[in-house]
Amino acid sequence: MEQENLYVYWDADNISVAFIPRVREFFAARNQTPKVCRAFGCCLSKKQVAFLADSGFEPICIKPGANATDFRLTISAVADRQPERRDVIGVVSNDHDFIPLISHLKEQGHQTILFAEKSASQSLRKAANEFALLERSNAAMAPATRSSKCRTP
């Protein structure tokens, strides 16, 4: 089995990008550097897109629609997988809709880490190999998660 890669998938419609420094610190403490960092959202402002890009994240602006962000994030996470690798996948979201994705990745032998706030359900937390709590006290200043107008890609 080849050496693991680290991927981070951010649900920017669900978790504020203000937590990016916290997530980066988590991996830096483990001497891990993400290979891929993507943030998905249908309501990203130009300021948020710039902040994400400056923070090393690829902003993926989604055309608004029911669960559109969830679907794109899931497709990306599954498509990036390589069967011969045991990768580390970080998912940043409070959304219980990601339980099947996290469970699937774990079943495929990947290490899964969920980054979420206190409001995340216990079933979501337990789906991942590891849970990292995101608290407002450890979030740096950054643009708010949602803008007043949704943009299309």
Side-chain angles (χ1 to χ4, degrees):
M1 191 171 272
E2 291 186 38
Q3 182 179 1
E4 63 188 29
N5 286 316
L6 171 59
Y7 298 85
V8 179
Y9 301 97
W10 200 290
D11 179 1
D13 287 344
N14 190 269
I15 298 267
S16 172
V17 297
F19 288 112
I20 287 175
R22 166 68 179 98
V23 172
R24 289 244 179 244
E25 289 169 9
F26 177 92
F27 289 118
R30 296 173 173 214
N31 294 318
Q32 293 177 306
T33 303
K35 176 180 179 177
V36 171
C37 293
R38 293 191 182 120
F40 300 79
C42 73
C43 297
L44 298 175
S45 68
K46 288 181 182 179
K47 188 174 182 178
Q48 290 167 319
V49 168
F51 178 79
L52 286 163
D54 289 346
S55 299
F57 276 78
E58 177 185 359
I60 310 288
C61 297
I62 310 298
K63 183 176 179 180
N67 293 321
T69 298
D70 297 1
F71 291 135
R72 285 289 300 275
L73 188 153
T74 298
I75 290 167
S76 183
V78 171
D80 287 343
R81 303 290 53 80
Q82 296 179 11
E84 68 278 3
R85 291 187 181 276
R86 181 185 178 275
D87 294 325
V88 177
I89 298 101
V91 175
V92 185
S93 183
N94 292 320
D95 190 340
H96 70 276
D97 289 345
F98 289 112
I99 292 172
L101 169 65
I102 293 169
S103 297
H104 171 75
L105 294 170
K106 196 163 81 170
E107 288 167 5
Q108 297 297 310
H110 303 294
Q111 176 71 21
T112 57
I113 303 169
L114 173 70
F115 295 87
E117 296 173 292
K118 286 191 295 189
S119 61
S121 70
Q122 284 299 317
S123 55
L124 176 62
R125 294 176 187 210
K126 290 179 181 179
N129 296 104
E130 191 172 347
F131 170 71
L133 179 65
L134 298 175
E135 297 181 285
R136 292 288 169 202
S137 62
N138 59 21
M141 293 302 294
T145 301
R146 291 189 178 270
S147 68
S148 59
K149 294 183 180 180
C150 291
R151 299 176 337 123
T152 56

